[in-house]
Amino acid sequence: MKFSKDEKIVLTITAIYTLAATMATTFINVYLFDYTNSYIILNVYQLIRLGILGVVAFISAKLSYRLRMSHTLTIGLICITLSVFILLALQERVADNMLYVYSIAFIWGSGEGFFWISLNTLNQLITKPATRGHYLGLNGAVTNIATILAPLFSAQILASHTIEIEGYYSMFRVVIVLFGVISLLSALVKSPIKRQTFKIIDILKQVKSDMQWNYVVRTQFLWGFRDAAVMSLTGILIYQAVENGTAYGRLLAVFALIATLSNYTIGKIVQKNNRLRFLLVGTVGIFLSGISLVVLPGLWGAVGHGALANLFFAFM
């Protein structure tokens, strides 16, 4: 099955972005914690990054009336590249003033807001009903492969340096180059300007009238609350348990492989009539993954948490 030029470009952007973003986001938390030694600062960083992401996604959607989605995608990638460049330029000085940390979070989150709303929309705009299923399947495959490769590449870069912090600098340089490449690629995507009514308020009003939509909104809120609560903390706890970035990267690659195999297997067996049972099993599994860190607050707890969380996430 042949893909269009735009489909090939967006698939390439998705693969390279997943590789670069996974390398960066995985180790930025560790990097910032090493310098600031503060869970509070790290969580405020995540609060700003994720908070501004939602706001900018809304702004990006509004801008799509006047700009092509490929243009807002490029804006997002430039913002993300800039945030990593600032982090690399500051190096150890990032801990001198918390405004540096929070500014990086603001720019990075803004970039993600532009990027994700644009990419998700482009995946619908550039595909045709006849090829969309095959395209999305391949999209998921390249994303999974990139998620496995990213921590392996990161671990190899860190292992090649005697001083680990120098490895972080090299890794961030690679990330900047990768983001730069896909920023250029994104400008080549031809997408129509969608001029249609923006009805987000009307959609939100359906929470009261449509109970299925109500359940979805409540579930997503609670799931997001859970993610926000553990996002930074679990990564740092796992890193502290394995004690170095190289081992951390390799362990994350194992977790990504578990997630990929689980997604593939569950995708083959889940059906409409058994979906709720899988959802229940996944919920229990994710709960147990958090308990493992509490019961075994060390290496084995970290391994158990990562393995269980990545195994059962596919059930959700």
Side-chain angles (χ1 to χ4, degrees):
M1 183 177 293
K2 287 188 176 181
F3 289 124
S4 68
K5 179 182 176 182
D6 281 350
E7 287 173 325
K8 291 176 182 177
I9 293 174
V10 174
L11 277 172
T12 303
I13 289 172
T14 300
I16 298 176
Y17 177 85
T18 303
L19 181 68
T22 303
M23 290 173 67
T25 54
T26 298
F27 286 92
I28 278 180
N29 287 341
V30 174
Y31 178 82
L32 291 175
F33 184 77
D34 276 345
Y35 276 125
T36 64
N37 199 33
S38 171
Y39 288 112
I40 295 175
I41 292 172
L42 195 59
N43 279 285
V44 173
Y45 166 85
Q46 294 291 0
L47 174 66
I48 295 172
R49 175 179 153 241
L50 297 177
I52 197 63
L53 189 159
V55 174
V56 173
F58 178 83
I59 295 172
S60 178
K62 294 288 286 185
L63 281 175
S64 66
Y65 292 135
R66 295 179 173 82
L67 300 174
R68 297 182 186 275
M69 276 294 175
S70 55
H71 294 165
T72 53
L73 185 75
T74 304
I75 293 171
L77 288 167
I78 290 173
C79 288
I80 295 171
T81 306
L82 177 62
S83 65
V84 181
F85 180 81
I86 293 172
L87 183 67
L88 181 62
L90 289 172
Q91 295 189 1
E92 70 276 2
R93 296 192 304 277
V94 73
D96 293 346
N97 190 329
M98 290 309 98
L99 286 178
Y100 293 153
V101 177
Y102 303 150
S103 296
I104 291 169
F106 184 90
I107 298 171
W108 185 290
S110 298
E112 287 182 305
F114 278 114
F115 178 84
W116 283 116
I117 191 70
S118 303
L119 184 68
N120 289 333
T121 305
L122 279 173
N123 281 332
Q124 302 300 317
L125 292 178
I126 65 172
T127 56
K128 299 176 181 178
T131 62
R132 186 168 298 149
H134 186 62
Y135 171 86
L136 292 177
L138 185 57
N139 185 294
V142 299
T143 299
N144 286 332
I145 292 170
T147 303
I148 295 171
L149 292 177
L152 287 177
F153 286 164
S154 300
Q156 188 59 41
I157 292 171
L158 294 175
S160 66
H161 290 76
T162 306
I163 303 174
E164 188 170 273
I165 199 66
E166 293 296 331
Y168 283 111
Y169 298 151
S170 295
M171 182 172 59
F172 291 147
R173 292 187 189 100
V174 171
V175 167
I176 288 173
V177 171
L178 292 174
F179 280 140
V181 168
I182 54 178
S183 295
L184 295 175
L185 284 175
S186 65
L188 301 177
V189 179
K190 306 296 182 184
S191 61
I193 299 176
K194 303 296 289 184
R195 301 189 186 281
Q196 58 190 47
T197 307
F198 195 68
K199 297 183 177 180
I200 189 169
I201 302 300
D202 292 341
I203 292 172
L204 291 175
K205 286 179 180 178
Q206 292 178 19
V207 173
K208 292 183 178 180
S209 59
D210 187 335
M211 286 309 299
Q212 293 298 316
W213 178 237
N214 187 296
Y215 292 146
V216 169
V217 170
R218 289 185 185 184
T219 303
Q220 288 298 313
F221 174 81
L222 292 173
W223 183 259
F225 190 83
R226 174 260 174 199
D227 265 3
V230 302
M231 183 179 297
S232 302
L233 183 59
T234 52
I236 296 300
L237 290 176
I238 293 172
Y239 173 75
Q240 290 179 327
V242 298
E243 297 182 346
N244 70 80
T246 302
Y248 180 54
R250 290 169 180 164
L251 184 59
L252 292 180
V254 173
F255 293 159
L257 179 60
I258 292 173
T260 300
L261 294 175
S262 181
N263 274 293
Y264 177 80
T265 304
I266 298 303
K268 292 288 186 181
I269 59 179
V270 68
Q271 301 293 332
K272 184 177 181 180
N273 62 345
N274 63 11
R275 191 179 304 276
L276 289 179
R277 288 197 294 272
F278 276 93
L279 185 62
L280 178 60
V281 173
T283 303
V284 173
I286 295 294
F287 171 75
L288 292 175
S289 72
I291 294 296
S292 67
L293 272 177
V294 178
V295 176
L296 298 169
L299 177 59
W300 291 112
V303 171
H305 167 78
L308 289 171
N310 285 280
L311 174 65
F312 286 104
F313 188 80
F315 288 69
M316 307 297 287

